[in-house]
Amino acid sequence: MLQTVQNAGFFILLLGVLVTVHELGHFLVAKACGVKVLKFSIGFGPKLMGFTRGETEYQIALLPLGGFVKMAGDLPHEELSPEEASRGFLAQPPWKRGLIVLAGPAFNLIFPVLIYFFVYLGPHQATSTLVGNVNPGMPAVAAGIRPGDRVLAVDGVEVRTFDDMRDAFVGRFERPVPVVVDRDGKQLTLQVTPVKHVESSPIDTVERGQIGVEPVSRPALVGVPRGSVAEQTGLRTFDRVLSVNGVGIKDEARLHQAVNKHPEGTPLQLTVRRLDPVQAGAVTGRVPQVLQFTVPKQAGEGMAALGAEGVDLYLATVAPGSAAQKAGIQPGDRVVSINGEPLLSFHQLATKLNAMKEQPFTLSWRGAGGERTEKLAQAPLETVDRTGTPTKAVALGVLNWGLTAADSPVLDEVTVHLGPGAAFKEAALIVPKIVGQMVKVIGGLFVGKVPLNTVGGPIMMYQLAGKSAEQGLDSFLHLMAIISINLGVMNLLPIPVLDGFHLLSAAWEGIRRRPIPVRVREVANMVGLALLIMLMLLAVSNDVMR
């Protein structure tokens, strides 16, 4: 109950601020243009509280789903006193009416700059460029980048956070790129040739170079081939090594250190954690148990010294109905090669699949019945995102082992401090990007590139307000900025009832020297109202389905 009340409070706060910003734009510019403002209302319906100052009544109404600014003479044939006639809205020249109408959406687009300014201002924590893991077979390995290196610059561009480093590789691929790293206090310049990776969404496509480094170190999870010493000892794929001969093992790097100092044949006392699946109705959970094993050290390093191998290429999940399941791939199987090329990491597989889209390919994998090779093709696979919205993307339908909360290491973070100038620059750069993405989304809805089931309404906003508030002030402010931009862009659409149509009307009159014909306006009003009702019904329907 308390959670519901809190979510409702955040929802009202979110809408209340954004409505106030929008209507404040109309109000301030109307006042500046000499138009008489009769009422400034936040919300619709019965008045909850209010006061009158000067010639304007200010009020908060019961329903927080909007607001309005009532100006004198904003309706045709409205009777005004002689002293008010010149101060009526419709009596103003078109350029003034256009400014007043434009001010609402403009304030919604300017307000996020202010929000992001305060989000970016001052110190905040971000994931550093410390390399936690290097994916086998990726360019970083060939270049000599190691776990524990800290990336300082990419192609002459200084980077401090992992996001900075990812952004530095946008447009940089398939050519040598100098990367400066700090290793044990010494700076090294390494030449890396990133592979091309295309990130596509309904609103954007980004071509980015990938070198195969991750900010997280990997836990010591074992992959157990059939007939191996590890299997004979009793180890299973996805067991996590907790200690070797009493030495705690935090990640794969510590495992290498612990086993490499012992000669071949030395008994290694292993403590491992195993997650056994437990069925509870329709939900499958995992119960941990701690086990002890003794393995004679084998030839090789790391996992090979245990008679095992890395777990990366072992599949933990095969999506029901996916192309992988239809081909007979099962959880616990290990992928071996694609199009005859041996695979060194799951990341390598994902990169190749990303480039292939729905193009057929040959995949080899090893399972209970031995090794198999089949010709496959990725296909659209329906998934559900965190908001409950079903989405479809071309995929094979397999995942390797995902980190549990207990497995997830603490990321190395760096404190980034931005002064007022830098914070304003970042805010001024990010808002136009989001506006551009929002315009693409709206255009995609009309041409069918963006699914209609992504449209959300008040229930979705209510849920997002509560979730973002739980994640912290920055997350809540980010949501507020996104919705403010959404309101600003949507209100500029030339649809009757919205500000965009009134702006179009003012522009028409300013250019043609006469208003839009009454019949055209009446038809436009009916069509626009029908569109808005359909959009509202779609949004509410999607909310209910979620």
Side-chain angles (χ1 to χ4, degrees):
M1 179 63 181
L2 178 61
Q3 185 67 45
T4 302
V5 173
Q6 287 179 338
N7 289 350
F10 288 123
F11 174 66
I12 292 172
L13 175 63
L14 178 70
L15 277 186
V17 170
L18 297 183
V19 168
T20 301
V21 167
H22 182 91
E23 300 304 334
L24 190 62
H26 294 313
F27 173 78
L28 292 178
V29 176
K31 286 282 192 180
C33 290
V35 175
K36 183 176 182 179
V37 179
L38 303 176
K39 184 178 289 187
F40 180 93
S41 178
I42 304 303
F44 296 118
K47 180 172 71 175
L48 295 178
M49 62 181 71
F51 62 90
T52 300
R53 179 168 295 176
E55 61 187 15
T56 306
E57 178 186 0
Y58 303 86
Q59 72 171 28
I60 296 177
L62 179 62
L63 301 176
L65 298 178
F68 63 91
V69 172
K70 170 60 180 173
M71 291 173 278
D74 59 1
L75 295 175
H77 313 301
E78 182 177 344
E79 294 185 3
L80 297 175
S81 61
E83 60 271 15
E84 290 182 341
S86 63
R87 298 185 62 199
F89 173 74
L90 294 178
Q92 306 305 309
W95 68 270
K96 281 191 176 182
R97 282 185 276 127
L99 283 179
I100 294 170
V101 168
L102 180 62
F107 269 47
N108 277 132
L109 297 177
I110 295 171
F111 181 57
V113 177
L114 184 64
I115 291 177
Y116 283 119
F117 171 77
F118 285 108
V119 169
Y120 290 134
L121 184 64
H124 62 275
Q125 298 299 112
T127 303
S128 77
T129 58
L130 183 68
V131 177
N133 181 66
V134 181
N135 290 309
M138 292 298 287
V141 175
I145 295 177
R146 304 174 185 171
D149 289 350
R150 187 180 298 273
V151 180
L152 303 179
V154 174
D155 207 9
V157 179
E158 182 182 354
V159 293
R160 292 199 63 200
T161 70
F162 202 81
D163 284 341
D164 289 343
M165 183 172 66
R166 290 184 72 252
D167 291 341
F169 281 107
V170 172
R172 292 181 171 96
F173 45 81
E174 297 174 354
R175 67 174 177 85
V177 175
V179 175
V180 181
V181 302
D182 180 284
R183 180 180 297 167
D184 300 325
K186 297 179 181 179
Q187 289 192 13
L188 304 174
T189 300
L190 306 173
Q191 296 294 325
V192 187
T193 303
V195 294
K196 181 179 178 180
H197 181 73
V198 181
E199 298 175 359
S200 299
S201 71
I203 61 174
D204 207 1
T205 298
V206 177
E207 294 183 344
R208 186 193 309 274
Q210 283 197 341
I211 63 174
V213 298
E214 299 173 349
V216 294
S217 56
R218 296 192 176 185
L221 296 170
V222 298
V224 181
R226 295 187 180 278
S228 64
V229 172
E231 184 184 49
Q232 295 167 11
T233 302
L235 290 172
R236 294 183 191 170
T237 297
F238 305 129
D239 283 352
R240 178 180 179 179
V241 180
L242 301 178
S243 69
V244 175
N245 291 346
V247 178
I249 303 299
K250 184 175 70 172
D251 51 30
E252 285 188 355
R254 294 291 178 90
L255 176 67
H256 277 254
Q257 295 171 4
V259 300
N260 289 350
K261 62 184 180 182
H262 297 291
E264 188 175 338
T266 302
L268 300 177
Q269 304 292 331
L270 306 182
T271 301
V272 305
R273 182 213 63 194
R274 178 173 296 166
L275 297 178
D276 288 326
V278 175
Q279 194 76 23
V283 179
T284 301
R286 294 184 180 274
V287 176
Q289 60 171 321
V290 176
L291 303 170
Q292 307 286 334
F293 298 99
T294 301
V295 182
K297 186 190 173 185
Q298 305 298 300
E301 299 181 352
M303 292 295 178
L306 307 180
E309 61 184 352
V311 76
D312 189 50
L313 288 169
Y314 284 82
L315 304 177
T317 304
V318 179
S322 65
Q325 187 193 50
K326 292 174 182 178
I329 299 175
Q330 298 180 3
D333 290 355
R334 182 194 187 277
V335 286
V336 176
S337 65
I338 184 168
N339 287 336
E341 180 183 346
L343 289 167
L344 299 175
S345 71
F346 189 83
H347 187 273
Q348 183 186 16
L349 172 67
T351 301
K352 290 182 177 295
L353 292 176
N354 174 268
M356 289 179 183
K357 303 298 182 185
E358 296 182 74
Q359 179 183 344
F361 59 92
T362 301
L363 185 72
S364 297
W365 71 94
R366 191 171 65 230
E371 187 168 317
R372 289 181 57 189
T373 301
E374 298 286 347
K375 193 167 187 178
L376 305 175
Q378 297 185 101
L381 180 64
E382 187 169 295
T383 58
V384 179
D385 65 20
R386 64 175 186 168
T387 66
T389 304
T391 59
K392 273 193 175 183
V394 174
L396 179 60
V398 296
L399 291 174
N400 59 350
W401 184 266
L403 294 180
T404 65
D407 288 329
S408 300
V410 177
L411 290 173
D412 184 73
E413 293 188 330
V414 62
T415 301
V416 179
H417 190 286
L418 295 183
F424 181 78
K425 179 182 177 181
E426 291 295 325
L429 288 174
I430 192 172
V431 169
K433 290 181 182 178
I434 300 174
V435 171
Q437 291 175 343
M438 203 71 69
V439 171
K440 290 180 180 178
V441 168
I442 294 172
L445 286 171
F446 283 104
V447 299
K449 290 182 65 177
V450 177
L452 292 177
N453 59 11
T454 59
V455 177
I459 298 176
M460 183 178 178
M461 288 178 62
Y462 168 84
Q463 293 172 334
L464 290 177
K467 288 180 181 178
S468 63
E470 290 175 4
Q471 294 169 2
L473 179 60
D474 282 359
S475 178
F476 184 74
L477 290 176
H478 177 70
L479 176 65
M480 183 179 288
I482 294 294
I483 296 180
S484 183
I485 292 171
N486 187 32
L487 290 175
V489 173
M490 288 292 293
N491 265 287
L492 287 174
L493 294 178
I495 298 175
V497 184
L498 299 181
D499 292 327
F501 186 78
H502 297 294
L503 185 62
L504 177 65
S505 298
W508 175 286
E509 187 173 340
I511 296 171
R512 301 294 299 272
R513 303 298 180 186
R514 61 179 181 272
I516 295 177
V518 175
R519 180 56 183 166
V520 173
R521 188 183 294 271
E522 289 175 348
V523 172
N525 281 334
M526 288 188 291
V527 173
L529 186 60
L531 285 173
L532 286 178
I533 292 175
M534 290 171 60
L535 183 62
M536 291 173 61
L537 290 175
L538 175 65
V540 173
S541 174
N542 287 343
D543 283 353
V544 172
M545 291 300 293
R546 293 189 189 101

